[in-house]
Amino acid sequence: ARASRGQHPQAAMAAAAVLTSAAGVVALLDEPAPQLKVHALRSLDALVDRHWAEISAAVTAIEALYEDDEFEERELAALVASKVFYHLGEMDDSMQYALGAGGLFDPTSSSEYAQTIMAKMIDTYIAARNASEPVEVDPKLVEIVERMLERSMVDGRTEHTIGMALEMQRLDKLEEAVRRSDDSAASLAYAVRVTHKLVTSKKFRLETLRKIVSLYEAVPHPDYIAVCEILMFLDDPGKVADVLVGLIKEGGDKLLMAYQICFDLFENQRQRFLLDVSAKLPATKDPKKPDGKPKAEAEGDAAAEGVKPEGGDATAEGGDDAMETDAAE
């Protein structure tokens, strides 16, 4: 232990690999000099996975260092305590000290300890976010969860991020994941599938689908067929009518898409919804009759106004000529 007092943390870890006991390092926790305590904690952090049983006897002293506001390496003490409690099977205590470790706890680490405690944190956060009554969430827990989500987005794990965001009821993170993805349309399609499959709260499911519709509208080439399917689920015939009118005005392929949407709506056999959509569509006039009236009705109006129907003058003139001929004879 005396030979390693001035070592760099990496050298301490190398030395830890050949130590057969942690007793000497644990004894340094009783030294009055803060530098020795810091050195002891760094060494214990490297030893804890193999010598946690010995170190657990000093966990009270380690906790005391974390609670000492004047101790400069409180986060390191919290990390060591967290690992000790993890090996003892005390997951709640381990998670709390991991939260106290701040940036020293790496939620993206592949170690069994980090993965287990991160899973515990996520479950705790999800439970709090999905509680029927508002629950105050530890800001440190929120920070670590958001660090994990950020790392997931940086790594390009968009679908994983979307799934976690939905479980956590974080629509802001859902939106961020979609906007930062390489293929927004595919990400939104995945979000729709997961929403129907994973989200059990009806209220949150409807909020999520409305958010997805708004995100669809923001992409360069929206999938209007998917949008209208969602709007039908949301029972929003007015919005469907608006989409159809917009597609018809654009014409071309968009007109064909409007027809496809209509066929899809018909196949769903929701008569009331179809009638509601139809009622929301603007009225159209027959292009051959600008006034929109049937032919019989139009001719009746013309007769009432003393206007001769088409072909009437020719007939009348023909009749006069015939009469004049008969009189001449």
Side-chain angles (χ1 to χ4, degrees), residues 21 53 59 91 121 128 136 172 215 237 248 273 279 289 302 312:
S21 173
V59 71
M91 297 304 168
M121 289 181 178
E136 184 176 355
D172 57 328
L215 292 174
I248 292 171
F273 187 79
K289 309 174 194 59

Side-chain angles (χ1 to χ4, degrees), residues 18-318:
V18 297
L19 289 178
T20 58
S21 173
V25 180
V26 170
L28 293 177
L29 294 173
D30 296 327
E31 295 288 338
Q35 295 85 352
L36 292 178
K37 296 180 188 293
V38 171
H39 172 73
L41 289 173
R42 288 173 179 163
S43 299
L44 292 175
D45 184 38
L47 290 166
V48 67
D49 288 336
R50 290 192 302 150
H51 299 284
W52 59 268
E54 284 183 277
I55 299 171
S56 65
V59 71
T60 302
I62 298 172
E63 290 179 286
L65 291 174
Y66 169 69
E67 294 168 2
D68 184 356
D69 293 334
E70 296 182 358
F71 186 62
E72 62 180 7
E73 292 289 349
R74 295 180 63 241
E75 292 185 348
L76 179 58
L79 181 63
V80 175
S82 174
K83 291 181 178 180
V84 171
F85 282 116
Y86 163 74
H87 287 290
L88 290 172
E90 301 290 341
M91 297 304 168
D92 289 334
D93 289 335
S94 180
M95 184 188 73
Q96 290 303 319
Y97 278 108
L99 292 175
L104 295 182
F105 175 76
D106 182 8
T108 64
S109 171
S110 59
S111 70
E112 183 179 344
Y113 156 73
Q115 293 296 307
T116 302
I117 298 306
M118 194 64 230
K120 175 72 174 177
M121 289 181 178
I122 291 173
D123 289 344
T124 302
Y125 184 73
I126 290 174
R129 293 285 299 176
N130 287 270
S132 56
E133 297 294 333
V135 176
E136 184 176 355
V137 182
D138 189 334
K140 295 178 181 178
L141 177 58
V142 177
E143 179 185 355
I144 288 182
V145 168
E146 291 187 347
R147 282 167 52 197
M148 182 272 296
L149 292 173
E150 174 62 25
R151 184 64 186 178
S152 181
M153 284 185 273
V154 169
D155 291 343
R157 302 170 63 196
T158 302
E159 292 187 355
H160 176 264
T161 307
I162 289 174
M164 294 304 301
L166 290 175
E167 282 195 278
M168 297 173 181
Q169 296 195 4
R170 291 290 301 269
L171 292 182
D172 57 328
K173 293 300 178 182
L174 167 64
E175 179 175 356
E176 185 178 352
V178 170
R179 293 188 185 279
R180 293 172 60 176
S181 68
D182 295 330
D183 189 342
S184 297
S187 297
L188 285 169
Y190 177 79
V192 173
R193 294 195 300 271
V194 174
T195 298
H196 286 300
K197 181 179 179 180
L198 188 66
V199 178
T200 57
S201 167
K202 181 179 179 181
K203 178 181 178 182
F204 182 65
R205 188 188 308 121
L206 296 178
E207 291 177 2
T208 302
L209 291 174
R210 292 189 186 97
K211 170 62 72 174
I212 291 174
V213 169
S214 69
L215 292 174
Y216 260 123
E217 293 172 341
V219 301
H221 303 287
D223 183 350
Y224 287 109
I225 295 177
V227 169
C228 287
E229 288 178 355
I230 298 172
L231 292 172
M232 183 175 65
F233 185 85
L234 293 172
D235 197 23
D236 191 345
K239 189 70 174 177
V240 171
D242 292 341
V243 171
L244 291 174
V245 170
L247 293 174
I248 292 171
K249 287 181 178 179
E250 290 191 43
D253 291 341
K254 296 298 177 66
L255 178 59
L256 297 177
M257 185 180 292
Y259 280 120
Q260 183 61 56
I261 291 172
C262 292
F263 290 140
D264 291 343
L265 292 174
F266 179 78
E267 288 179 355
N268 278 281
Q269 298 182 351
R270 290 184 57 185
Q271 188 65 25
R272 183 190 64 78
F273 187 79
L274 291 175
L275 292 174
D276 289 343
V277 172
S278 180
K280 299 291 183 180
L281 292 171
T284 58
K285 296 181 179 180
D286 188 329
K288 295 183 179 180
K289 309 174 194 59
D291 59 1
K293 295 181 179 180
K295 183 176 180 181
E297 183 179 346
E299 291 179 349
D301 291 346
E305 294 175 3
V307 179
K308 296 180 180 180
E310 295 180 2
D313 290 345
T315 305
E317 291 175 359

